[in-house]
Amino acid sequence: MSTAIADKPKSTLRGATLPKWSPYAIAAGSLALGVGIGLAAGLDSRIQWGLLAAILFVLGTYVISSRVEGRRQAKDRVATSLVWVAFLLAVIPLVSLVWTTVARGVKVLDIYFLTHSMGLIADSEPGGGIYHAIVGSLEQVGLATLMAAPIGVLTAIYLVEYGRGNLARAVTFFVDVMTGIPSIVAGLFILAIMLQFEMQPFGFAGSLALAILMMPVVVRSTEEMLKLVPNELREASLALGIPKWRTILKVVLPTSIGGITTGIMLAIARIAGETAPVLLLVWGNSLINTNPFEGAQQSLPLYIYQQYANSAGSGAAYDRAWAASLTLIAFVMILNLAARGIARWKAPKTGR
């Protein structure tokens, strides 16, 4: 009897499945077929070839999976395929942009380029650098951050921890409105004040406009991070007789400091590339000006715009614009890496 039981085949509920390498094979076949159809149809754009390959990949996945695994599993694989296609459609332009910027920017990007200003060099002439633009951007963005980050964080704390009634609703409404205003509107607002007092362009005026653009982003991101802090932590602290302000300072903020820091860095990355307010309020300067409170200043996005606009077909100006673009991208990447490091350093410890 035991021998009969041992010889009885085991029943299984699993049907036929495609091998693990099947998506890669379908993708390769779809790519080859898409290129072939594109060449046969006279399509010269690689983007069109890629779109054809993506459509064939989704259709091929459904047809093959439905024949082998059934229609239910085929629908699941099609959903996964659509996710991968959407991911590639989002990543390919980004990779292309970074690749183009690096390939063109490294032509003139060196120590001399980073440590010298344009001085008396014309935009159509070779030479010069972006030191004056780096100084201007760091000062303008730094001053804007010193103004916007504390106000934004404190506003978010009020909305989450204290805000009730009409005032809180009004603040939330205006924050939502400010989040969507164009950068040129913030620049025009500061420009109107400058014209009222007959003031000349200077770097701090650009910082004021950038702070207006940065504040709603900081408020919204900080507000969302504070809402993620469990109420049990607040209640436990208050149950011990700790005042609410100290609970916020010692419990709520340390718990959410990682997300708050990331939100501030993302806001800095947004304003670091703004050109319109700086063009209106700072005007640009080919010489080094380290005083943001007096005289025109330069910034990296404005430098890129001026080099491209005033190049008159000069290859040297185009190279400087691409090199400055690469420097600005590197600056934003460094900010994001610093934010991740600070967030990990300041994150609450979970171990005993």
Side-chain angles (χ1 to χ4, degrees), residues 20-262:
K20 294 183 178 181
W21 49 264
S22 60
Y24 304 102
I26 297 173
S30 302
L31 181 60
L33 189 57
V35 173
I37 294 175
L39 291 175
L43 302 177
D44 298 329
S45 175
R46 295 181 180 179
I47 298 178
Q48 294 173 327
W49 299 352
L51 292 176
L52 286 173
I55 295 173
L56 292 173
F57 174 67
V58 175
L59 293 177
T61 300
Y62 179 78
V63 171
I64 295 174
S65 179
S66 61
R67 287 181 174 272
V68 176
E69 300 174 319
R71 304 180 76 178
R72 182 176 180 180
Q73 185 65 23
K75 293 178 181 179
D76 180 74
R77 287 189 177 272
V78 166
T80 305
S81 302
L82 290 174
V83 170
W84 277 105
V85 169
F87 169 75
L88 291 176
L89 290 176
V91 168
I92 289 175
L94 176 62
V95 173
S96 176
L97 173 63
V98 174
W99 175 261
T100 303
T101 305
V102 172
R104 297 192 179 188
V106 295
K107 293 181 180 179
V108 296
L109 185 60
D110 53 18
I111 298 299
Y112 177 88
F113 183 73
L114 296 174
T115 56
H116 287 73
S117 67
M118 290 300 294
L120 301 177
I121 300 174
D123 291 334
S124 59
E125 297 177 356
I130 58 171
Y131 178 75
H132 59 308
I134 293 176
V135 171
S137 284
L138 291 177
E139 291 182 348
Q140 294 162 26
V141 173
L143 290 172
T145 304
L146 288 177
M147 291 183 288
I151 296 175
V153 172
L154 292 175
T155 302
I157 291 174
Y158 165 75
L159 292 176
V160 175
E161 304 294 337
Y162 298 98
R164 300 292 184 273
N166 295 330
L167 179 59
R169 285 192 291 269
V171 172
T172 302
F173 172 76
F174 283 110
V175 167
D176 293 337
V177 171
M178 290 178 62
T179 303
I181 64 171
S183 59
I184 191 68
V185 175
L188 288 173
F189 173 72
I190 301 299
L191 180 62
I193 298 176
M194 292 174 59
L195 294 176
Q196 191 73 23
F197 293 95
E198 298 181 355
M199 302 172 67
Q200 297 297 320
F202 61 109
F204 184 67
S207 299
L208 292 173
L210 296 178
I212 293 175
L213 297 173
M214 182 178 177
M215 256 185 280
V217 179
V218 175
V219 172
R220 183 59 61 222
S221 60
T222 304
E223 188 179 359
E224 294 302 323
M225 290 301 105
L226 293 177
K227 289 179 179 178
L228 294 177
V229 177
N231 285 328
E232 289 78 5
L233 295 178
R234 298 181 177 89
E235 294 169 356
S237 177
L238 295 173
L240 295 175
I242 300 175
K244 188 169 185 177
W245 68 268
R246 194 170 182 84
T247 299
I248 296 172
L249 188 63
K250 295 295 184 179
V251 177
V252 177
L253 289 179
T255 305
S256 59
I257 189 63
I260 294 174
T261 305
T262 303

